[in-house]
Amino acid sequence: MKAVILAAGEGQRMRPLTANRPKVMLPVAGKPIVEHLLVELKEAGINEFVFVVGYCDQQVRSYFGDGAKWGIRIEYSAQRKQLGTADAIRIVAEVVQGNFLVINGDVMVNRADIKSLMKHQTDTMSITKVTDPRGLGIVELAGDKVVNIWEKALKPPTLLANTGFYLFTPAVFKAIAQTEKSSRGEYEITDSLKILVKSQSGLGYLEIKTWVDLSYPWDLLRANEAIMPGMAAENLGEVEPGVTIKGPVSIGRNTVVKSGAYIEGPVIIGEDCRIGPNCFIRACTTIGNGCHVGAGVELKNSIVMNKTAVPHLNYIGDSVIGEGCNFGAGTKIANLRLDKKNIVVNGIDTRRRKLGAIIGDNVQTGINTSINVGTVIGSNAYIGPGAVVKGIISPESRIY
């Protein structure tokens, strides 16, 4: 059986982090989102994959290649124009035979649920129970079949959500051929599923227990918090005398952790980094390759991507920082409202009481910059010395 991973989209709700990479390549626990998914599928017994790629596809192709590194085989199908999930599945009709799995590349599921879905012999969608159905596709059931699917309904009839993970038979291609364009100008797989619901064999379902949906930048932090506590410690770098390490910490090749650094795991530090001296790295922080974390710096529950420098007297908490950023001495990011209410970003309740900033690639700040809770800064922005910023900062902005 083959697994088809849908990895063609940009992920607009993840902006500015997806300005230079597809959503599926955003890092969670030190690896791209889609790599976690691939590993779970492999452990469930899948060895043949089809990646449907489009936006910034070369990054996916370069990272995964032919799959030999993971002991699997990967083929690629290109969706050059983003015409929806049904169109993406239509593209693979010539490269899959018999039953096959389809899964969105930006979700996380576990191997046990994958094995359970693989046992089904008819078209089957996986569902999961949620506490908040806003923005999700909601499923209505009768007996062992799906009877209706509601997209982003204001008053959904159930709390059972579509997870974007399916087992399909060749019948799905007939349903896709009958699918008309939606009001968004796309061919939606949910419309194809509704056609299957009305077919003679119907559409089955499997309720799964583990599902992490990554829609917004702060969801990356939630995924880190879920995955990292179970990680193993590893040291492939150099740790000087006088470093304190508590809990599981992974240190990459050619990384130097200097004296006085205090690290509370789980923490992941990539390759070729300079850490310390005299810094504090707190739990559920991941630091990419080629980063510098210097003296008097505190990082907490944050994702710092490759080649970013946080060199002097900085505080970054509950934030996602893109590649190639540089923080001037004394730059600090607030992560808690004084009234302790949830952080709202661009009108969206993040459901997080603590959230710092979402910062795109190649952002620079001057000394003593203050960044307020829930701030989003677009790629290549420059924030001058002593500035106080909040809200949405456009890419290429110059603030003095």
Side-chain angles (χ1 to χ4, degrees):
M1 186 180 292
K2 288 186 177 180
V4 177
I5 296 181
L6 305 181
E10 172 192 348
Q12 295 185 5
R13 289 183 291 185
M14 281 286 186
R15 290 179 179 175
L17 303 176
T18 52
N20 300 306
R21 63 186 63 81
K23 179 180 179 180
V24 299
M25 294 301 290
L26 289 170
V28 168
K31 297 177 182 178
I33 295 168
V34 71
E35 184 175 357
H36 292 280
L37 179 57
L38 179 149
V39 168
E40 291 300 308
L41 286 161
K42 180 182 184 298
E43 292 300 321
I46 300 293
N47 294 304
E48 293 187 82
F49 291 77
V50 181
F51 279 44
V52 180
V53 294
Y55 177 73
C56 293
D57 65 316
Q58 194 54 47
Q59 291 190 33
V60 180
R61 295 174 188 266
S62 297
Y63 187 90
F64 290 101
D66 62 4
K69 177 180 175 182
W70 293 268
I72 59 174
R73 180 172 176 266
I74 298 177
E75 301 173 72
Y76 296 91
S77 292
Q79 187 187 32
R80 293 303 176 194
K81 191 172 182 181
Q82 307 303 301
L83 291 176
T85 48
D87 179 69
I89 297 167
R90 177 191 60 79
I91 289 169
V92 306
E94 300 302 318
V95 295
V96 296
Q97 297 82 36
N99 295 356
F100 60 101
L101 299 179
V102 172
I103 186 165
N104 295 337
D106 58 357
V107 301
M108 292 184 175
V109 296
N110 71 24
R111 61 198 70 175
D113 288 330
I114 296 168
K115 289 179 180 178
S116 295
L117 186 60
M118 290 169 65
K119 294 176 182 177
H120 287 245
Q121 299 299 315
T122 59
D123 293 290
T124 305
M125 67 185 300
S126 67
I127 61 174
T128 195
K129 189 170 290 185
V130 296
T131 55
D132 188 345
R134 288 179 294 177
L136 299 174
I138 296 299
V139 177
E140 191 174 355
L141 310 175
D144 61 352
K145 297 293 182 180
V146 175
V147 295
N148 210 342
I149 302 170
W150 306 76
E151 277 295 306
K152 303 176 177 64
L154 293 177
K155 295 182 178 180
T158 76
L159 294 176
L160 297 171
N162 178 6
T163 67
F165 178 32
Y166 315 96
L167 180 139
F168 286 132
T169 72
V172 72
F173 296 115
K174 294 180 181 178
I176 289 172
Q178 299 172 46
T179 301
E180 298 181 355
K181 274 189 178 180
S182 69
S183 59
R184 298 195 304 172
E186 296 183 354
Y187 298 97
E188 312 277 1
I189 192 58
T190 48
D191 291 334
S192 305
L193 294 174
K194 290 176 182 179
I195 293 171
L196 289 174
V197 165
K198 296 176 182 178
S199 69
Q200 184 175 0
S201 57
L203 178 64
Y205 68 89
L206 171 71
E207 185 171 351
I208 63 175
K209 303 301 181 185
T210 301
W211 180 64
V212 180
D213 179 37
L214 302 168
S215 297
Y216 295 99
W218 45 90
D219 291 330
L220 300 174
L221 299 177
R222 181 165 55 91
N224 257 15
E225 293 158 2
I227 293 172
M228 291 181 66
M231 63 174 274
E234 182 178 44
N235 179 18
L236 301 177
E238 177 188 348
V239 177
E240 293 183 351
V243 172
T244 300
I245 294 178
K246 300 284 184 72
V249 174
S250 175
I251 300 170
R253 288 182 177 85
N254 301 316
T255 285
V256 177
V257 182
K258 297 184 177 181
S259 181
Y262 195 105
I263 307 174
E264 293 179 340
V267 164
I268 296 172
I269 303 171
E271 300 178 352
D272 302 305
C273 295
R274 292 179 294 141
I275 307 297
N278 303 315
C279 62
F280 184 19
I281 302 175
R282 295 168 62 183
C284 293
T285 293
T286 61
I287 299 168
N289 298 330
C291 292
H292 178 205
V293 177
V297 171
E298 181 177 345
L299 300 180
K300 168 193 171 283
N301 194 42
S302 293
I303 296 172
V304 179
M305 297 189 203
N306 297 344
K307 298 180 181 178
T308 282
V310 192
H312 311 290
L313 305 170
N314 309 114
Y315 176 76
I316 294 176
D318 303 280
S319 299
V320 184
I321 313 298
E323 291 190 5
C325 296
N326 188 79
F327 291 85
T331 294
K332 295 177 176 63
I333 299 177
N335 64 335
L336 179 67
R337 290 170 52 126
L338 289 177
D339 60 10
K340 308 298 191 296
K341 291 183 178 179
N342 285 357
I343 309 299
V344 175
V345 176
N346 202 24
I348 300 168
D349 182 356
T350 67
R351 305 180 193 127
R352 294 185 67 92
R353 198 168 62 89
K354 291 188 176 182
L355 179 67
I358 309 300
I359 298 180
D361 296 344
N362 304 310
V363 170
Q364 298 183 63
T365 70
I367 62 170
N368 297 323
T369 296
S370 295
I371 301 173
N372 204 2
V373 296
T375 298
V376 178
I377 303 178
S379 298
N380 302 303
Y382 173 79
I383 314 297
V388 178
V389 294
K390 63 180 180 179
I392 309 298
I393 309 300
S394 299
E396 313 283 348
S397 293
R398 297 292 181 267
I399 297 175
Y400 299 97

